[in-house]
Amino acid sequence: MGITVLIICFALFIADPHDLIGTLIENLWLIGMIVALFGLAVLIALIWYRKGYVYKYVLERGWIKVDRNYVPMSHEMVVNERIGSHIDLKTVSYIRLDKDTDSISMRGFLLLTTIYADKNEIDHVYQLIKQECVNLKGEK
């Protein structure tokens, strides 16, 4: 949203570079409308996904891939399909196993995700993922 507002301000500056403040004041309704629509979209997303959403992951050599056959159609999935739906395990710098929630938290460059597995398989899945993560910081 901030980038969109900056682009609009830049376009307004190009349209009238001598009176930027006056031009911004005249077009304040446009910026307000963008902020209001963004706020409404966030509110709708919070209501829609209040219980969260689930992706199915497939572990491949050096990658974790979203399996499209199991993922319900949503805006996020369409975006992920366009960018490949892959997590490159070379970019993972932190991985943590949480046995209470049967989850594996992963962080890295432009990556923050949690993977859930069955209680019986969580240790095995964690070890498989950890083997593929070659750039872990700290204890390996």
Side-chain angles (χ1 to χ4, degrees), residues 60-77:
E60 295 179 355
R61 196 72 163 148
W63 297 88
I64 294 179
K65 179 183 173 204
V66 176
D67 188 357
R68 285 186 238 166
N69 297 333
Y70 295 101
V71 179
M73 191 54 149
S74 67
H75 170 70
E76 289 82 7
M77 192 57 225

Side-chain angles (χ1 to χ4, degrees), residues 21-35:
I21 301 299
T23 306
L24 284 176
I25 290 172
E26 288 174 10
N27 293 292
L28 197 56
W29 65 272
L30 180 63
I31 295 171
M33 188 174 291
I34 290 171
V35 171

Side-chain angles (χ1 to χ4, degrees), residues 46-98:
L46 289 174
I47 292 170
W48 189 272
Y49 293 114
R50 68 184 176 274
K51 294 181 182 176
Y53 51 91
V54 177
Y55 291 152
K56 289 272 189 170
Y57 293 100
V58 176
L59 181 62
E60 295 179 355
R61 196 72 163 148
W63 297 88
I64 294 179
K65 179 183 173 204
V66 176
D67 188 357
R68 285 186 238 166
N69 297 333
Y70 295 101
V71 179
M73 191 54 149
S74 67
H75 170 70
E76 289 82 7
M77 192 57 225
V78 171
V79 172
N80 284 337
E81 285 176 2
R82 287 188 199 136
I83 61 173
S85 302
H86 285 79
I87 298 172
D88 186 358
L89 294 176
K90 293 176 191 165
T91 63
V92 175
S93 59
Y94 172 82
I95 186 170
R96 183 177 66 88
L97 173 64
D98 185 358

